[in-house]
Amino acid sequence: MKRISVVLFIALCSVSLSGTAQLGFCQGNSGSPIFTEDFGTGITNGPALPAGTTTYTYVDGPPDDGSYTLASNTSGYFDWFNIQDHTPDDTNGKAFIVNASFTAGEFYRRSINGLCENTSYEFSSWLLNLHPRSGVGCPNNGIPINVKFQIWDSTDTNLLATGDTGDIEDKTTAEWEQYALLFTTLPGQSSVILKMINNGGGGCGNDLAIDDIAFRSCGDLVTLSDSQNRNSIYQCDVDGPLMSLTLSATPDFSIFNNHFYQWQESSDNSIWTDIPGEITDSYTTPVLTDSRYYRVIVSEDLININNNLCNVISQSFDIIFVPTPLPPSSIGDISICANIENGLLTVRVPPGVDVNWYDAPSGGTLLEADTITYTTDVAGTYYAEAVSTQAYCPSTSRTPVTLEIYPLPVVNDEMVSFCENEDVVLQAGVTGVSYEWSTGETTPEITVTQAGVYTVEVTDPRGCSNVKTVEVTQINLPIIENIRTENDDIVIFTSSTDDVEYSLDGLNFQTQSVFENVPGGVYTIAVRGDSSCSDVTRDFFHLVVPKFFTPNGDGINDIFEVEGIGSLSNYEINLFDRYGKLIKNSSGEPLRWDGSYNAQLLPSGDYWYTVRIENQIYQGHVALVR
């Protein structure tokens, strides 16, 4: 039992696939259908076809090989496509569902009666392959559909026409396709027999649906035109009546040798009535104020002009009065922020109406045509005009649509510096907006202590945003590594590579790191780099001890003393001879030594001293010279 099916699909105006040269559609005009078979409607399967219509067995459900059913869908049928019938506007319409037999042969037969002798006809039918490509039922795709159509005379002895569809392979989606076959009845012949024959091999696949079988007459291609060689006229209703015009029917003589005519008219292109007395190849219309449709019935014999089984119908010549459309409906003016690339202006119109955009309420320049939207980055008012798609019938006015572009909040990027061990305040610099800093804060200003790049997004009440960037750098303070006394000079050592200045009092600064001839004492050393930052300070005792003294009574350098120490409170000074004997001592008071010990003058030579200040001890020697 097969679990797959096939779908056939042929375009209405196509010829045939490879190997089906006999198939083809009527290239001229056709008549009204003289026979149709759409297999009915209903949600239940069946009924079975009349006896003699098919050699296959009817089943009320999914058909196996050599069986068929009539159904409005194929839901649950093996792994086939779930389809609906082909008949347009059908509700629960049915199709002829066939699971082809393993043996090739006839599976459908139908007699068609009431034909005209010596007349060309077109047979057509819609087919569909029910098996999806790569379906599970047939792993290597199903056996393709291949159907032969035959038209026999009523005695079933003379073959009038035959044609094969050729192989119709599986498809990825279900698609209905139409096939057609042309034939001509013989003299005295009024009925024929239609046969459908399965050419496909047996096995998995070769399953199809059939619908909308039709027969109609086929005649010359008859072209209708006016004196300006137009095939239709579309006129704006505001342009007034249409003067009478002469329509001509021109057959191509591809099938008919003679031509007889009957002109018809319609107000709705649906219900047609004969125009009395208009039986030539031309017709002159009256003055028209509303839409009209004209066509002509053509037959090869006069007796058949009113026989719809034998005549053909031309395409219609349409004279349409196109109503003036209303102006487009605007969905509203558009406002965008300046950082949005474009604004999209939009209007609405009913079906059958296009929109053209202009830069003025009348006249002006056409900016864009055939679109309900207009994209622009330029603020201003633009005008939409409605135009019928059938003819250039513009609306009496244009609809204005305005694009307003809001400016963004004005921000200015900054570079900010701050001193080491301090902080700095960053400000958005915009009021009346909301704030979103890269730190997560939402205030107009923030305080930071780290160098880096900070951003703040400011958003105004209209939702327009801008971003300010603040680059923050740190100014490093100089580092005092050491301060030394060298004789009576003060020398300051720093590790800063930047330019720095030095001071002994925090007021007077110099660029040199050496202060010369400085009296002994306590100094607050100050070093600064960038003048905007605080000074780096360190207290330093400048210990100035003479290298020698001459106590000879001349009033010059007669006394040994340590300069500046009197400003201190916690200190001690000791003097020793070279043998370590304590000569003089002072604690908390200045020491003055005249070179004597116990009222005796000591001899010239080196004497040693120690100076303790707080917990710091300084030592050295002084020469006594006589």
Side-chain angles (χ1 to χ4, degrees):
M1 180 177 65
K2 295 181 291 182
R3 295 292 180 179
I4 307 296
S5 70
V6 179
V7 179
L8 300 179
F9 188 110
I10 296 293
L12 181 59
C13 295
S14 67
V15 185
S16 60
L17 299 176
S18 173
T20 59
Q22 304 98 324
L23 293 181
F25 290 88
C26 178
Q27 299 303 304
N29 290 126
S30 300
S32 301
I34 62 177
F35 169 82
T36 58
E37 175 60 87
D38 62 9
F39 300 102
T41 61
I43 60 174
T44 59
N45 289 16
L49 295 173
T53 304
T54 179
T55 59
Y56 282 23
T57 302
Y58 170 76
V59 295
D60 185 12
D64 290 325
D65 297 328
S67 300
Y68 77 95
T69 192
L70 303 184
S72 58
N73 66 78
T74 52
S75 176
Y77 285 22
F78 311 122
D79 64 344
W80 296 353
F81 292 119
N82 180 22
I83 67 162
Q84 297 179 342
D85 78 330
H86 170 266
T87 308
D89 303 321
D90 224 1
T91 301
N92 296 320
K94 297 179 182 180
F96 181 27
I97 309 299
V98 178
N99 192 330
S101 173
F102 281 92
T103 303
E106 178 185 319
F107 66 88
Y108 184 82
R109 173 189 292 245
R110 186 69 182 256
S111 293
I112 312 299
N113 303 313
L115 305 180
C116 301
E117 62 179 331
N118 296 321
T119 303
S120 296
Y121 289 93
E122 175 195 86
F123 150 77
S124 64
S125 179
W126 291 84
L127 305 170
L128 183 147
N129 187 326
L130 289 167
H131 181 249
R133 183 171 298 173
S134 301
V136 297
C138 302
N140 296 318
N141 297 332
I143 296 170
I145 295 169
N146 192 314
V147 176
K148 181 190 296 291
F149 301 110
Q150 290 183 341
I151 306 294
W152 293 77
D153 71 354
S154 59
T155 66
D156 200 9
T157 57
N158 294 317
L159 180 62
L160 304 181
T162 184
D164 297 285
T165 65
D167 285 346
I168 308 299
E169 305 290 346
D170 298 354
K171 292 181 173 61
T172 56
T173 58
E175 298 177 87
W176 283 102
E177 298 190 74
Q178 189 183 34
Y179 287 90
L181 182 65
L182 301 178
F183 68 95
T184 301
T185 55
L186 301 175
Q189 187 177 56
S190 62
S191 63
V192 296
I193 299 173
L194 164 67
K195 296 180 182 180
M196 294 186 189
I197 298 169
N198 169 34
N199 289 333
C204 194
N206 196 12
D207 307 313
L208 65 152
I210 303 172
D211 201 9
D212 291 331
I213 299 171
F215 281 80
R216 65 183 72 219
S217 58
C218 176
D220 286 356
L221 176 65
V222 181
T223 303
L224 301 187
S225 61
D226 66 359
S227 58
Q228 300 181 43
N229 203 32
R230 294 177 293 186
N231 301 114
S232 61
I233 295 175
Y234 291 83
Q235 175 176 303
C236 300
D237 58 3
V238 296
D239 292 339
L242 179 66
M243 296 298 100
S244 62
L245 67 157
T246 299
L247 306 180
S248 298
T250 305
D252 66 356
F253 287 85
S254 61
I255 296 177
F256 292 168
N257 293 318
N258 300 306
H259 300 85
F260 295 88
Y261 302 92
Q262 174 61 61
W263 287 87
Q264 293 184 323
E265 70 174 348
S266 173
S267 60
D268 60 4
N269 203 21
S270 177
I271 300 175
W272 293 87
T273 59
D274 291 346
I275 304 174
E278 299 298 335
I279 57 174
T280 66
D281 62 355
S282 65
Y283 168 68
T284 301
T285 72
V287 176
L288 297 176
T289 57
D290 55 11
S291 297
R292 280 290 185 275
Y293 304 87
Y294 295 95
R295 71 183 187 183
V296 65
I297 296 176
V298 182
S299 67
E300 190 172 20
D301 298 308
L302 178 59
I303 194 173
N304 291 329
I305 193 66
N306 294 317
N307 186 348
N308 292 335
L309 302 180
C310 309
N311 58 32
V312 295
I313 304 171
S314 71
Q315 296 295 317
S316 65
F317 189 102
D318 301 341
I319 301 174
I320 307 298
F321 283 82
V322 180
T324 300
L326 295 173
S329 300
S330 173
I331 66 170
D333 296 333
I334 301 299
S335 299
I336 63 173
C337 300
N339 57 346
I340 303 300
E341 184 175 355
N342 289 302
L344 183 66
L345 310 181
T346 305
V347 294
R348 293 192 181 97
V349 290
V353 177
D354 285 334
V355 175
N356 296 335
W357 292 87
Y358 291 86
D359 60 359
S362 63
T365 300
L366 175 64
L367 302 175
E368 194 164 357
D370 301 336
T371 175
I372 63 171
T373 61
Y374 179 63
T375 301
T376 180
D377 60 356
V378 179
T381 300
Y382 300 86
Y383 300 87
E385 178 183 82
V387 181
S388 172
T389 57
Q390 294 179 307
Y392 184 71
C393 303
S395 55
T396 56
S397 64
R398 296 171 181 170
T399 301
V401 185
T402 299
L403 172 65
E404 183 178 4
I405 300 179
Y406 296 140
L408 304 183
V410 178
V411 297
N412 296 299
D413 294 344
E414 289 185 284
M415 297 185 66
V416 176
S417 59
F418 70 102
C419 299
E420 183 181 358
N421 301 325
E422 297 183 8
D423 54 38
V424 62
V425 176
L426 309 184
Q427 296 180 331
V430 186
T431 59
V433 296
S434 62
Y435 310 90
E436 182 68 33
W437 288 89
S438 53
T439 61
E441 295 165 278
T442 58
T443 53
E445 61 184 34
I446 62 172
T447 300
V448 299
T449 58
Q450 299 292 326
V453 176
Y454 298 83
T455 60
V456 57
E457 182 178 20
V458 296
T459 304
D460 66 19
R462 294 178 295 199
C464 296
S465 300
N466 207 350
V467 176
K468 175 179 180 177
T469 300
V470 184
E471 184 176 350
V472 179
T473 57
Q474 176 180 286
I475 301 173
N476 295 322
L477 299 179
I479 298 174
I480 299 175
E481 290 191 337
N482 193 17
I483 305 174
R484 289 209 305 257
T485 295
E486 295 183 358
N487 297 323
D488 54 1
D489 298 339
I490 295 177
V491 182
I492 305 169
F493 298 89
T494 66
S495 62
S496 176
T497 59
D498 299 327
D499 294 336
V500 296
E501 295 180 320
Y502 308 88
S503 174
L504 297 182
D505 56 10
L507 298 175
N508 301 296
F509 285 84
Q510 65 180 41
T511 58
Q512 291 77 28
S513 61
V514 178
F515 292 86
E516 298 178 340
N517 300 317
V518 179
V522 177
Y523 294 89
T524 300
I525 306 298
V527 179
R528 70 183 181 188
D530 191 302
S531 60
S532 65
C533 295
S534 302
D535 300 340
V536 178
T537 61
R538 181 187 295 181
D539 289 336
F540 175 71
F541 177 68
H542 180 40
L543 181 65
V544 179
V545 180
K547 297 296 183 182
F548 64 91
F549 70 104
T550 58
N552 55 14
D554 61 1
I556 299 175
N557 203 22
D558 286 335
I559 300 298
F560 167 80
E561 63 180 337
V562 177
E563 296 182 10
I565 200 168
S567 62
L568 303 177
S569 59
N570 184 10
Y571 66 90
E572 180 180 2
I573 303 173
N574 296 295
L575 279 172
F576 303 92
D577 65 11
R578 60 179 180 172
Y579 301 109
K581 178 181 178 180
L582 179 65
I583 302 299
K584 194 168 181 66
N585 169 268
S586 175
S587 179
E589 294 182 0
L591 181 145
R592 295 172 60 85
W593 181 43
D594 61 2
S596 64
Y597 178 71
N598 291 333
Q600 299 293 321
L601 297 178
L602 295 178
S604 296
D606 286 337
Y607 292 84
W608 298 87
Y609 66 84
T610 61
V611 179
R612 180 187 60 79
I613 300 173
E614 300 290 344
N615 296 321
Q616 186 76 30
I617 295 176
Y618 305 88
Q619 61 185 11
H621 59 87
V622 60
L624 187 155
V625 180
R626 295 218 179 254

